[in-house]
Amino acid sequence: MRTAVSIDIGGTHTKLALVSDSGRISHRLTLDTRSSRSIESYLSALFEAIAGLVTQAASENMPAKGIGIGAPACNEHKGTIAHAANLLFKEPFPIRQEVSERFSLPVILLKDSSAAALGEQRHGGAGGMQNFALITLGTGLGSGLICEGKLVRGARGLASEFGHAIVDPGGRECGCGRRGCLETYVSATGIVRTAFALLAERKADSVLRGMSYRDTTAEDLFMAAGQKDPIALEAFERTGKILGLKLNDLVVAFEPEAIFLSGGLARAGELLLEPARKALQEHALHLMRGKVKLLLSELGAHDAALLGAGCTILHQQKEKIS
Amino acid sequence: MRTAVSIDIGGTHTKLALVSDSGRISHRLTLDTRSSRSIESYLSALFEAIAGLVTQAASENMPAKGIGIGAPACNEHKGTIAHAANLLFKEPFPIRQEVSERFSLPVILLKDSSAAALGEQRHGGAGGMQNFALITLGTGLGSGLICEGKLVRGARGLASEFGHAIVDPGGRECGCGRRGCLETYVSATGIVRTAFALLAERKADSVLRGMSYRDTTAEDLFMAAGQKDPIALEAFERTGKILGLKLNDLVVAFEPEAIFLSGGLARAGELLLEPARKALQEHALHLMRGKVKLLLSELGAHDAALLGAGCTILHQQKEKIS
């Protein structure tokens, strides 16, 4: 059994673990990404955690063969993180090189959503699929595309930003500085915005009328929907509808076999899937109608990214050896 | 020098030629697609034209090594044409098999826009590019995508229908039976629809006010724009703007190095490119701003498809031999 250190860098948490090529995840660790005040202190905590896992792997007679990193807003060609909306890294930071030099190990850097797509392909529901998309619904909306068997990285390693496809050019303000991006509607934060817009539009009573915007989460909406709260139910309905409509753009361009939903908001399951499937079907070109499956990821959001990043570096090393 | 028979099936014309692997096109022929009343009479004319080219190639001591076909609404995996809006083929017709059996030659069937993208890559402006899109602007809007070096065919060979990405869910009626598809706005027919909508919206005088909808073509708008006709100018402006905005969806998904425009409407050049570039730039994610080139195809619309279909079958045959 071969082992890699795998890291999923997120705006809230940084998850680390040892990953084997058979897909086993062990020795999980979580860092609070937001508690670091500077890049230096974040890296110091990150390096310490990696060192611990490298030592652990060695002590089990399975020395780590490489390090796989999934991160938002990274450039896979250059190995840098930059302009990350929810991270301290604003200027391009050469994380791949820094980690590789520090631990004398090969390092791969992947977009978190791309890592999750690769994880889904290796150990989740996309086994054997040559054309599929994975959409992560967290604070933002991430996308990973596998097209004709290959991960889509783009001309400069900047592809897979479908969260910034524009739904409404004059619409909601986005963290990226533009307006109307898909993730301002379809994400854990987007659905809260929709619920508050509905509080203004509708007269129906709702538990949400007693809550502040700041305190309301997608989880609250999920709980309220479980109590048949009309505003929460309509928020899921509307969110799913926008998702289904916009996924049609991906479908006509790439014709994936399936689209997987992952991340916190995907835990809402049929509440979100049912209106999304309906809209995808309704807006589908007749040739493709009913042919593209919309499914929930078979792996947890973090596990998919950890598995994808870890297994990809192991696979690369294996290819180099053979 | 190796030679193939190459065919570009269009709703108005079917173009045929001999294509060499060095990119030379010779012995061009054109059939009037619309003059055939039945599939049988169309195929009879097509087979006769192919037979003539096969004989011609043999007489020049360069026997045809294969036949490449570009066609709209085809399934590249199955080798069929079906549900073609502007052709007689409504039920799936196994054209690849029929042509192959008739001439005892290997046949490849490609979407016309995919064939054009491959032609642009081999002999046009996309030489060496691993990630690019080609958009054909004719009666409809076709798309060909090359992603990580590979032609995007999709899970069932139905990809590259970006003309049916939805711009406005309640918008213009499309030939496909749905509403608001990109090609109802951005195509040779779409821009005429926009000009007529503008005649209703605006009070400005225009040469178009004396013309019937049926008689007006994109060519008329181009001529009127040359005379500074305000309605024609605004029609190009608005068309380019919608194109640039919608191309952003492709850009965020797969980050092409360039997007090429081809087909009749692309001949308008800067009239269309300038507002399209502006909108693409304006709506671009800041990471990608100014990085994706919007260019005119370096090949004529039919030549690109002929070259792509012909060279691809020659290339496939060569790979099989070696």
Side-chain angles (χ1 to χ4, degrees):
Chain A
M1 204 163 66
R2 301 160 65 252
T3 300
V5 174
S6 198
I7 307 166
D8 179 26
I9 299 179
T12 311
H13 296 115
T14 298
K15 304 262 183 182
L16 297 96
L18 290 177
V19 166
S20 75
D21 47 9
S22 65
R24 198 172 78 95
I25 303 178
S26 64
H27 303 289
R28 293 170 190 266
L29 274 172
T30 300
L31 302 178
D32 183 347
T33 309
R34 287 179 302 192
S35 70
S36 297
R37 294 297 171 116
S38 66
I39 290 178
E40 291 69 29
S41 70
Y42 175 71
L43 287 176
S44 156
L46 183 66
F47 285 175
E48 193 182 323
I50 297 173
L53 288 172
V54 169
T55 308
Q56 181 66 40
S59 77
E60 294 181 14
N61 271 328
M62 290 184 298
K65 300 291 184 195
I67 300 172
I69 306 175
C74 67
N75 184 317
E76 298 179 2
H77 289 192
K78 294 183 180 169
T80 54
I81 302 185
H83 308 291
N86 306 308
L87 299 176
L88 293 163
F89 302 100
K90 302 302 172 196
E91 293 307 307
F93 180 80
I95 191 156
R96 188 172 60 204
Q97 191 189 336
E98 293 276 330
V99 174
S100 182
E101 286 178 4
R102 176 79 170 229
F103 294 96
S104 301
L105 281 172
V107 176
I108 191 171
L109 178 68
L110 293 165
K111 221 162 258 195
D112 45 7
S113 49
S114 294
L118 291 169
E120 197 71 35
Q121 194 184 35
R122 282 189 190 278
H123 297 287
M129 288 189 191
Q130 298 295 300
N131 291 277
F132 71 95
L134 180 135
I135 304 288
T136 59
L137 301 169
T139 313
L141 182 151
S143 63
L145 283 183
I146 306 285
C147 203
E148 308 297 325
K150 291 182 102 169
L151 176 67
V152 174
R153 294 166 188 263
R156 291 168 193 76
L158 300 172
S160 286
E161 291 285 356
F162 201 64
H164 297 285
I166 292 174
V167 167
D168 175 1
R172 295 180 182 170
E173 292 180 355
C174 183
C176 75
R178 301 177 309 148
R179 300 186 72 145
C181 293
L182 179 59
E183 71 176 29
T184 68
Y185 299 87
V186 183
S187 65
T189 53
I191 195 170
V192 172
R193 294 170 83 159
T194 299
F196 274 70
L198 284 168
L199 288 177
E201 280 177 45
R202 304 290 181 226
K203 285 175 60 67
D205 197 18
S206 166
V207 62
L208 302 167
R209 296 206 185 269
M211 296 169 69
S212 77
Y213 182 91
R214 192 177 293 149
D215 289 340
T216 308
T217 64
E219 190 68 28
D220 294 322
L221 297 186
F222 182 61
M223 308 249 281
Q227 306 293 318
K228 307 286 175 213
D229 184 283
I231 299 293
L233 285 171
E234 190 171 352
F236 277 102
E237 175 84 22
R238 201 180 274 194
T239 304
K241 207 168 159 178
I242 296 172
L243 176 61
L245 173 61
K246 200 63 189 173
L247 286 179
N248 181 61
D249 287 348
L250 273 188
V251 169
V252 291
F254 300 100
E255 203 231 331
E257 183 173 343
I259 300 171
F260 294 88
L261 301 185
S262 168
L265 187 60
R267 284 202 292 266
E270 286 301 317
L271 262 179
L272 189 69
L273 274 177
E274 196 261 329
R277 278 204 193 103
K278 207 173 136 193
L280 185 62
Q281 176 86 350
E282 193 181 311
H283 294 290
L285 194 58
H286 66 289
L287 278 171
M288 301 175 184
R289 198 164 289 160
K291 291 188 178 161
V292 181
K293 291 170 270 190
L294 189 60
L295 302 168
L296 290 180
S297 161
E298 292 188 3
L299 305 165
H302 288 289
D303 281 5
L306 287 173
L307 285 169
C311 290
T312 303
I313 186 72
L314 287 175
H315 188 72
Q316 272 194 2
Q317 289 312 106
K318 205 171 169 182
E319 282 194 334
K320 273 185 192 159
I321 293 163
S322 62
Chain B
M1 203 164 65
R2 298 161 66 251
T3 300
V5 174
S6 199
I7 307 166
D8 180 25
I9 299 178
T12 310
H13 297 115
T14 298
K15 305 261 184 183
L16 297 97
L18 290 178
V19 167
S20 76
D21 47 9
S22 66
R24 199 172 78 96
I25 302 179
S26 64
H27 303 287
R28 292 171 191 267
L29 274 173
T30 300
L31 302 179
D32 183 347
T33 309
R34 286 179 301 192
S35 70
S36 297
R37 295 297 172 116
S38 67
I39 290 179
E40 289 70 29
S41 70
Y42 175 72
L43 287 177
S44 156
L46 182 68
F47 285 175
E48 193 182 324
I50 297 173
L53 288 171
V54 168
T55 307
Q56 182 65 41
S59 78
E60 294 180 14
N61 272 326
M62 291 183 301
K65 299 292 184 194
I67 299 171
I69 307 174
C74 67
N75 184 318
E76 299 179 1
H77 288 193
K78 294 185 182 169
T80 54
I81 302 184
H83 307 293
N86 306 306
L87 298 176
L88 292 164
F89 302 100
K90 302 300 171 195
E91 292 306 307
F93 180 80
I95 191 158
R96 186 172 62 204
Q97 190 190 335
E98 293 276 330
V99 174
S100 182
E101 286 179 2
R102 176 79 170 228
F103 295 97
S104 299
L105 282 171
V107 175
I108 190 171
L109 177 69
L110 292 165
K111 224 163 254 195
D112 45 6
S113 49
S114 294
L118 291 169
E120 197 71 34
Q121 195 184 32
R122 283 190 189 277
H123 297 287
M129 289 189 189
Q130 298 295 300
N131 292 277
F132 71 94
L134 180 134
I135 304 288
T136 59
L137 300 170
T139 313
L141 183 151
S143 63
L145 299 181
I146 306 285
C147 202
E148 307 297 325
K150 292 180 105 168
L151 176 68
V152 174
R153 293 168 189 262
R156 288 169 195 76
L158 300 173
S160 285
E161 291 285 355
F162 200 63
H164 297 285
I166 291 173
V167 167
D168 175 0
R172 295 180 182 169
E173 293 180 354
C174 183
C176 75
R178 301 176 311 149
R179 300 185 74 146
C181 294
L182 179 58
E183 72 175 29
T184 67
Y185 300 88
V186 183
S187 64
T189 53
I191 195 170
V192 172
R193 294 170 83 158
T194 298
F196 273 71
L198 284 168
L199 288 177
E201 280 178 46
R202 304 293 182 222
K203 284 176 58 69
D205 196 18
S206 166
V207 62
L208 302 167
R209 295 207 185 270
M211 295 168 68
S212 76
Y213 183 91
R214 191 177 293 150
D215 288 341
T216 308
T217 65
E219 189 70 26
D220 294 322
L221 298 186
F222 183 61
M223 308 251 279
Q227 306 292 318
K228 308 285 176 216
D229 184 283
I231 299 293
L233 285 171
E234 192 172 352
F236 278 102
E237 176 83 23
R238 200 179 275 193
T239 304
K241 209 169 160 177
I242 295 171
L243 176 62
L245 171 62
K246 200 64 190 172
L247 286 179
N248 181 63
D249 287 347
L250 275 187
V251 168
V252 292
F254 89 102
E255 202 227 334
E257 184 174 343
I259 299 170
F260 294 88
L261 300 185
S262 168
L265 188 60
R267 285 202 291 268
E270 285 303 317
L271 263 180
L272 189 70
L273 274 176
E274 197 262 326
R277 278 203 193 103
K278 209 173 134 193
L280 185 61
Q281 177 86 350
E282 194 181 311
H283 295 290
L285 195 58
H286 67 290
L287 278 171
M288 300 175 186
R289 198 165 288 161
K291 291 186 177 161
V292 181
K293 291 170 271 190
L294 189 60
L295 303 168
L296 290 180
S297 161
E298 293 188 3
L299 305 166
H302 288 290
D303 281 6
L306 287 173
L307 285 168
C311 291
T312 303
I313 186 72
L314 287 175
H315 188 71
Q316 273 195 0
Q317 289 311 104
K318 205 171 167 181
E319 282 194 334
K320 273 187 194 159
I321 294 163
S322 64

